[in-house]
Amino acid sequence: MFFEDLSVGMTASFGKTVSEADILMFAAVSGDTNPVHINAEVAAASMFKQRIAHGMLSAGLISAVLGTRLPGEGSIYLSQNLKFRAPVKIGDTVTATVEITALDPGKKRVTLNTTCTVAGKPVIEGEATVMVPSRG
């Protein structure tokens, strides 16, 4: 979409069920080998009592929505703040949703509320700013 196609209130979502392989691949790519993500014994002794997914794995689903659905191809991520509200476990289905809250025509920037939920409960909340191509 081009900037001119966007309006406040537009939303888009993307969902994914987090697997063992997702966690192991994310650990390999990111270098984040925190045992709470990859070691069942260590995780069992943690406050979560089991392995959890990396928070940034779930946050990456927000990037997927922004880059492929709304605003979509050509948009450039400028900023993102995140509040992690709850852990994501293996087998959880995470749904990332974005909603346009403001448009800056002068700079072709879009502000969006960003959330990730599991079973309707928020696991991540935040706000993103992206730059979007214009028709002109």
Side-chain angles (χ1 to χ4, degrees):
M1 285 188 206
F2 292 102
F3 184 86
E4 295 79 7
D5 300 322
L6 303 175
S7 60
V8 171
M10 292 176 79
T11 65
S13 298
F14 174 74
K16 177 172 183 20
T17 301
V18 176
S19 69
E20 163 92 11
D22 294 326
I23 292 171
L24 294 177
M25 286 189 292
F26 192 87
V29 169
S30 69
D32 182 353
T33 57
N34 182 333
V36 75
H37 304 306
I38 60 174
N39 183 311
E41 288 181 19
V42 171
S46 75
M47 64 187 277
F48 303 111
K49 305 297 182 207
Q50 61 185 303
R51 290 173 53 205
I52 60 169
H54 303 74
M56 295 307 288
L57 190 159
S58 295
L61 301 179
I62 296 168
S63 181
V65 178
L66 295 173
T68 66
R69 304 206 173 166
L70 182 69
E73 292 182 21
S75 58
I76 305 296
Y77 226 144
L78 297 177
S79 68
Q80 174 77 59
N81 66 46
L82 300 168
K83 294 178 184 172
F84 296 93
R85 301 291 188 196
V88 172
K89 300 172 220 124
I90 295 170
D92 283 349
T93 298
V94 179
T95 302
T97 302
V98 304
E99 178 182 2
I100 296 175
T101 58
L103 299 166
D104 180 345
K107 294 183 178 181
K108 304 296 186 257
R109 293 187 179 179
V110 180
T111 303
L112 307 99
N113 278 336
T114 58
T115 58
C116 290
T117 59
V118 171
K121 296 180 182 177
V123 294
I124 300 175
E125 296 174 325
E127 182 178 82
T129 303
V130 298
M131 187 168 42
V132 180
S134 174
R135 278 200 174 79

